[in-house]
Amino acid sequence: VQLQASGGGLVHPGGSLRLSCAASGSIVNINAMRWYRQAPGKQREWVAVITGFGSTNYAGSVKGRFTISRDIAKNTVYLQMNSLKFEDTAVYYCNVWIESATHLVRDYWGQGTQVTVSS
């Protein structure tokens, strides 16, 4: 099983970006899908989650600006980021709980995608 994240880049304050994270491999079932971020010199922090039932939750710092969604058929989770701020600059990581063909259930991490908010 592998996760491939994409969609990061350089954006002005107030701008938008959409991150994607696609899971591939011998996947039987996907449960919770999360986004985390890590800014320079800071610990990794949780950003958003979409559960296996489709319910969502967000960190207070992004609530109302970010939207997490998924495409079950594509095994992909998205993070739509609007009204971006300087403090949103970070490497964004996806984290997905997956049941593989061996029936092992564990979480996997994407490789990270850089988001830079700069004027």
Side-chain angles (χ1 to χ4, degrees):
V1 176
Q2 291 185 327
L3 298 184
Q4 181 67 45
S6 61
L10 175 64
V11 64
H12 293 307
S16 298
L17 281 175
R18 187 193 194 205
L19 306 183
S20 300
C21 176
S24 62
S26 300
I27 298 169
V28 172
N29 191 39
I30 291 180
N31 298 311
M33 310 175 90
R34 294 177 172 86
W35 287 96
Y36 290 79
R37 67 185 181 185
Q38 188 166 18
K42 294 187 177 181
Q43 290 188 331
R44 189 172 298 187
E45 65 173 354
W46 168 75
V47 174
V49 60
I50 184 165
T51 71
F53 298 104
S55 59
T56 59
N57 202 6
Y58 301 90
S61 60
V62 307
K63 191 172 293 186
R65 300 187 297 122
F66 290 10
T67 302
I68 189 170
S69 62
R70 65 182 180 178
D71 185 330
I72 295 175
K74 295 181 179 180
N75 292 334
T76 300
V77 61
Y78 304 97
L79 186 68
Q80 177 66 44
M81 305 184 294
N82 298 329
S83 302
L84 282 161
K85 304 176 180 180
F86 292 120
E87 51 264 41
D88 294 319
T89 295
V91 178
Y92 284 70
Y93 298 89
C94 53
N95 174 272
V96 181
W97 280 85
I98 294 173
E99 178 183 359
S100 66
T102 59
H103 300 292
L104 173 67
V105 180
R106 53 156 285 191
D107 68 325
Y108 295 83
W109 289 90
Q111 82 282 13
T113 184
Q114 176 70 49
V115 172
T116 302
V117 184
S118 175
S119 55

